[in-house]
């Protein structure tokens, strides 16, 4: 009798991907069929406004390996992937976008790395077919994040990766609500390896990562994995105080020793009021970010809510 096959679970977060779902299934099946593994597809419908759910339901009716979790509304990409991580049952778990931007062929390489003993094999973009704006912003962001983060978060890396079951088990124990999964996977440790690939253009439709969602993710990365902004606040505070002392000494000196020029201080006053006011406000904002996160965590609301499950 043949040995029981290992199961590879795929997690596909879906938000308005109706146009690519069928093709995605076909492509990934095509990749998996020559390999000696069993597999399951875990689709998480993140409140799509198109007919993604209908298509998924139809696909799931014909194939029990296709599993669908329908969230009660749009919770965002990171929450959708989290829902998938909580539900999958495979020995290896591959997280992939549902718009075919992550080429399925890379999975072969990811699985190979896993068989070599790596717990995390993350797909690293050698090139990407995105707008100049998005490429530049992503580049700068990952540079800044790397310089201040407490863990090493690899650059040019999204959530496209393979993780072993034991890594997923650890991630499941991490209860933070404002999630930055790629940071969390780095935090976990174990043996990790990069697999370079060229990112494709979207197969269909347009990016649903709106500016607002990108900002949310960017902030989750910075404030979740760094306390540099918080320390930066006090550094700026000290610097401003120091400058103020110099200003005060100067003002007193002029007042006492050269009183004939002393009245002309209006500019200085206005400038320093604005300056200190601005610094204080932005610093308060930074502290506010951390407080908002503490508040969010203390509410302890669920990261996602499941409306229904199919084939799970
Ligand atoms: N996505 C999601 N919820 C959202 C936005 C996006 O589940 O609120 C999914 C989407 O279906 C896709 C992946 O996240 O599988 C990446 O989204 P998108 O292609 O819009 O982002 P980009 O590739 O431009 O970074
Ligand atoms: Mg995409």
């Amino acid at each position: 009798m043949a040995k029981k096959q290992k199961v590879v679970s795929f997690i596909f977060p879906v938000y308005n991907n109706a146009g690519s779902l069928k093709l995605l299934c076909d492509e990934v099946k095509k990749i998996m069929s020559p390999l000696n593994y069993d597999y399951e597809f875990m689709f998480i419908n993140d409140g799509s406004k198109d007919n993604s759910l209908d298509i998924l339901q139809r696909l799931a009716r014909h194939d029990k390996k296709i599993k669908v979790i329908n969230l009660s509304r749009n919770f965002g990409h990171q929450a959708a992937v989290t829902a998938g991580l909580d539900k999958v049952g495979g020995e290896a778990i591959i997280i992939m976008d549902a718009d075919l931007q992550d080429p399925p062929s890379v999975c072969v390489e990811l699985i190979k790395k896993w068989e070599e003993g790596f717990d995390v094999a993350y797909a690293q973009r050698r090139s990407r077919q995105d707008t100049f704006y998005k490429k530049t912003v992503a580049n700068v962001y990952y540079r800044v994040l790397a310089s201040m983060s407490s863990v090493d978060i690899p650059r040019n890396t999204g959530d496209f990766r393979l993780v072993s079951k034991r890594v997923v088990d650890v991630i499941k124990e991490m209860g933070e609500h404002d999630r930055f999964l790629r940071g969390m996977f780095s935090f976990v440790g174990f043996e990790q390896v990069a697999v370079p690939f060229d990112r494709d253009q979207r197969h269909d439709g347009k990016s649903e990562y709106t500016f607002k969602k990108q900002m949310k993710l960017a902030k989750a990365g910075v404030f979740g994995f760094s306390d540099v902004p918080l320390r930066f606040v006090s550094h700026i505070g000290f610097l401003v105080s120091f400058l103020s002392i110099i200003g005060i000494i100067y003002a007193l000196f002029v007042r006492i020793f050269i009183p004939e020029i002393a009245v002309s201080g209006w500019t200085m006053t206005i400038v320093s009021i604005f300056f200190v006011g601005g610094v204080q406000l932005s610093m308060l904002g930074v502290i506010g970010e951390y407080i908002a996160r503490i508040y969010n965590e203390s509410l302890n609301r669920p990261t996602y809510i499941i409306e229904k499950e199919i084939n799970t």
Side-chain angles (χ1 to χ4, degrees), residues 142-305:
Y142 281 106
R143 231 169 245 274
V144 172
L145 185 60
S147 71
M148 52 195 229
S149 165
S150 43
V151 293
D152 241 344
I153 302 171
R155 279 208 263 145
N156 298 326
T157 305
D159 289 314
F160 183 22
R161 62 186 64 214
L162 178 148
V163 289
S164 68
K165 182 169 173 3
R166 63 175 177 174
V167 167
V168 171
D169 287 341
V170 177
I171 294 285
K172 278 199 225 169
E173 293 297 311
M174 293 165 71
E176 59 208 78
H177 294 82
D178 198 0
R179 299 172 88 83
F180 187 63
L181 285 165
R182 52 203 84 161
M184 292 166 70
F185 284 124
S186 298
F187 172 86
V188 166
F190 293 103
E191 290 295 321
Q192 311 214 354
V193 65
V195 173
F197 80 109
D198 299 298
R199 191 158 207 242
D200 286 340
Q201 229 142 12
R202 258 182 100 93
H203 166 65
D204 180 76
K206 62 171 181 23
S207 174
E208 299 291 352
Y209 247 103
T210 55
F211 181 69
K212 212 169 129 190
K213 284 179 180 169
Q214 284 175 28
M215 279 305 287
K216 185 172 181 302
L217 186 67
K219 284 202 293 185
V222 170
F223 295 108
F225 286 90
S226 171
D227 49 14
V228 172
L230 208 46
R231 275 185 276 127
F232 180 71
V233 171
S234 48
H235 291 168
I236 291 284
F238 284 130
L239 183 68
V240 172
S241 317
F242 178 70
L243 290 177
S244 313
I245 290 172
I246 295 180
I248 290 167
I249 293 174
Y250 167 79
L252 288 177
F253 180 84
V254 168
R255 194 86 196 100
I256 296 166
F257 297 106
I258 17 181
E260 54 275 24
I261 65 162
V263 231
S264 62
W266 187 80
T267 321
M268 179 72 173
T269 315
I270 285 300
V271 167
S272 45
I273 286 175
F274 279 142
F275 178 62
V276 174
V279 168
Q280 277 181 340
L281 276 184
S282 53
M283 300 299 112
L284 266 181
V286 170
I287 293 170
E289 284 289 346
Y290 286 97
I291 294 179
R293 291 178 62 81
I294 296 170
Y295 173 65
N296 246 338
E297 296 299 328
S298 70
L299 284 177
N300 206 15
R301 288 181 183 153
T303 309
Y304 57 86
I305 296 167

Side-chain angles (χ1 to χ4, degrees), residues 106-121:
V106 178
C107 295
V108 180
E109 191 66 23
L110 295 178
I111 294 173
K112 201 148 70 187
K113 290 291 176 202
W114 171 59
E115 287 292 3
E116 284 172 21
F118 290 98
D119 279 280
V120 177

Side-chain angles (χ1 to χ4, degrees), residues 13 15 17 46 74 77 98-99 101 134 202 207-208 213:
Y15 182 60
N17 296 123
D46 185 22
N74 179 248
H77 174 240
D99 59 358
Q101 260 189 310
K134 189 157 181 173
R202 258 182 100 93
S207 174
E208 299 291 352
K213 284 179 180 169

